[in-house]
Amino acid sequence: MQIYGQTIASRLMLGTARYPSPDILKRAIEASGAEIVTVSLRREAAGERAGRKFWDIVRETGVKVLPNTAGCHSVREAVTTAQMAREVFGTNWIKLEVIGDADTLQPDLFGLVEATRILSDDGFAVLAYTTEDLVAADRLVEAGCRVLMPWGSPIGSARGLNNVYGLRAMRARYPDLTLIVDAGLGVPSHAAQALELGYDGVLLSSAVALAGDPVAMASAFKLAVAAGRLAFEADPLLPRDMAEPSTPVLGQATLGGAALQ
């Protein structure tokens, strides 16, 4: 997976919030094989002690931190948070979120495009949390975004891919752009489906953190992502409206009239 010129071996990215304990977070990261984890500036700055523990985990696992602007509801708030995150985490990568609806947590696409343009001009490498809307995607690309992260379904809903047609259309529109399904995935089969559509990766958070066994679920998602990508590269059979025999009929034995008497 290519992200702003860097090759990332794992196609699974992991959120770091809401885990039962720091030890389980560490073990889940290791089980997932993820090379990138996302973290909110608010979470990191919540307390000095918690911040030190998080950085201990990062150092021990060797993962790359992708700060995000989670919870930002305006362009100004998102831009300011991104600029602060660059100072705190020492990276120009930012997962950009500008939330427009408090119930669905759907992105504010107008604000997202504006914030992307501002941050791109300021030297940021923007990974934009968006929808499958192609017009918004065009505007984001024009604004300098090179990684689009469309939602599968609302954050934390565990409903999987609500609009497979829209996601497939986005993949077809941008064959050379890095596309990562973000939000709404609940079980490993959802992740496999995203990879089967040709998406470069997935970002998970609640699906692992809130599972009964986060470490086991992280392992399951790792396997699902690998299977989904392998299936995509194998050129899967497309759906048909009618049946087609799986066993050839050429050379099939036939019964003559005499045999029927």
Side-chain angles (χ1 to χ4, degrees), residues 1 11-13 95 129-130 147-153 160-162 167-168 170 178-185 190-191 193-195 197-204:
M1 181 167 61
R11 297 180 181 275
L12 174 60
M13 301 163 69
K95 182 198 166 190
Y129 169 59
T130 182
V147 180
L148 298 178
M149 304 182 75
W151 65 352
S153 50
L161 308 185
N162 274 354
L167 291 171
R168 185 179 287 116
M170 179 175 279
T178 299
L179 302 180
I180 299 169
V181 171
D182 175 19
L185 304 185
H190 296 159
Q193 185 181 19
L195 272 292
L197 290 176
Y199 275 72
D200 297 279
V202 294
L203 172 58
L204 312 169

Side-chain angles (χ1 to χ4, degrees), residues 22 106 121:
Q106 179 173 330
D121 290 344

Side-chain angles (χ1 to χ4, degrees), residues 15-71:
T16 55
R18 305 182 72 182
Y19 282 82
S21 71
D23 178 64
I24 291 178
L25 168 60
K26 177 186 175 183
R27 290 166 55 205
I29 292 173
E30 293 171 342
S32 72
E35 296 178 45
I36 298 174
V37 298
T38 62
V39 62
S40 167
L41 178 64
R42 289 185 176 91
R43 177 185 181 279
E44 172 62 16
E48 184 180 352
R49 184 176 179 181
R52 284 201 305 268
K53 187 63 177 178
F54 175 78
W55 279 115
D56 288 343
I57 293 172
V58 170
R59 284 191 293 268
E60 291 170 7
T61 58
V63 294
K64 180 180 178 64
V65 169
L66 172 63
N68 64 35
T69 61

Side-chain angles (χ1 to χ4, degrees), residues 55-162:
W55 279 115
D56 288 343
I57 293 172
V58 170
R59 284 191 293 268
E60 291 170 7
T61 58
V63 294
K64 180 180 178 64
V65 169
L66 172 63
N68 64 35
T69 61
C72 293
H73 290 261
S74 70
V75 172
R76 181 177 180 180
E77 187 180 12
V79 169
T80 300
T81 300
Q83 292 168 339
M84 293 172 62
R86 179 165 59 182
E87 296 299 320
V88 171
F89 298 107
T91 177
N92 68 332
W93 284 18
I94 190 72
K95 182 198 166 190
L96 182 61
E97 299 182 27
V98 183
I99 301 302
D101 183 80
D103 293 325
T104 65
L105 300 181
Q106 179 173 330
D108 173 358
L109 299 180
F110 304 98
L112 183 65
V113 171
E114 182 180 351
T116 296
R117 182 171 291 107
I118 293 171
L119 292 173
S120 295
D121 290 344
D122 193 25
F124 280 88
V126 176
L127 294 82
Y129 169 59
T130 182
T131 69
E132 65 278 14
D133 187 285
L134 294 181
V135 176
D138 287 342
R139 299 295 183 269
L140 288 168
V141 172
E142 291 170 1
C145 183
R146 294 296 174 265
V147 180
L148 298 178
M149 304 182 75
W151 65 352
S153 50
I155 294 173
S157 67
R159 297 187 62 85
L161 308 185
N162 274 354

Side-chain angles (χ1 to χ4, degrees), residues 200-255:
D200 297 279
V202 294
L203 172 58
L204 312 169
S205 186
S206 300
V208 172
L210 301 183
D213 186 340
V215 178
M217 188 61 75
S219 297
F221 270 104
K222 177 182 179 180
L223 295 173
V225 167
R229 182 64 187 186
L230 186 60
F232 170 73
E233 293 174 345
D235 192 15
L237 183 68
L238 296 178
R240 297 186 176 96
D241 292 331
M242 301 295 291
E244 181 173 315
S246 58
T247 302
V249 296
L250 185 64
Q252 183 178 4
T254 59
L255 297 177

